[in-house]
Amino acid sequence: MSARSGAWLAAVACLVALIFLCVAWELFLAPLEPGGSWLVLKAAPLLAPLFGVLHGKRSTFQWSTLLIWLYFGEGVVRAASDTGLSARLGTAEIALALGSYAAGVGYLRLRPA
């Protein structure tokens, strides 16, 4: 496996994991309200770059590395202000957002313009 395909695979894995984390967090792991909350819709913007990232489109990687910082910010706020499982999920969101960013930038650096 080349470094470029490894970076692509890591970016896809982090993005998909972040989508599942956001959905699971707000539906049944630690929702704001019992039974789930409408905050689950925070995962919807992550679906926008999914097709382009799966197909290795350079422009999608470029703008999705900017989008991912919103999820990093939410993770920082939730990890610092929440307690228990929600704080740990915030930490996981931080890790996945940073992983997605690093893999995306790595893929862009290894892919010819």
Side-chain angles (χ1 to χ4, degrees):
M1 177 185 317
S2 69
R4 187 175 102 191
S5 62
W8 172 82
L9 185 61
V12 169
C14 286
L15 180 61
V16 170
L18 188 56
I19 291 169
F20 281 115
L21 174 72
C22 289
V23 170
W25 185 349
E26 299 303 337
L27 283 184
F28 55 86
L29 290 177
L32 290 177
E33 298 178 14
S37 75
W38 283 98
L39 198 55
V40 72
L41 294 177
K42 73 180 181 184
L46 291 172
L47 296 175
L50 185 59
F51 182 79
V53 168
L54 285 171
H55 286 89
K57 294 188 176 185
R58 183 175 186 79
S59 62
T60 304
F61 271 91
Q62 289 171 332
W63 66 262
S64 69
T65 56
L66 298 174
L67 172 70
I68 209 72
W69 287 109
L70 295 173
Y71 295 88
F72 172 80
E74 188 213 8
V76 168
V77 169
R78 301 280 296 262
S81 63
D82 291 357
T83 59
L85 179 59
S86 188
R88 290 192 302 275
L89 292 172
T91 304
E93 186 175 27
I94 292 168
L96 288 173
L98 287 175
S100 178
Y101 177 78
V105 168
Y107 176 80
L108 288 169
R109 293 191 70 168
L110 295 169
R111 185 170 188 253

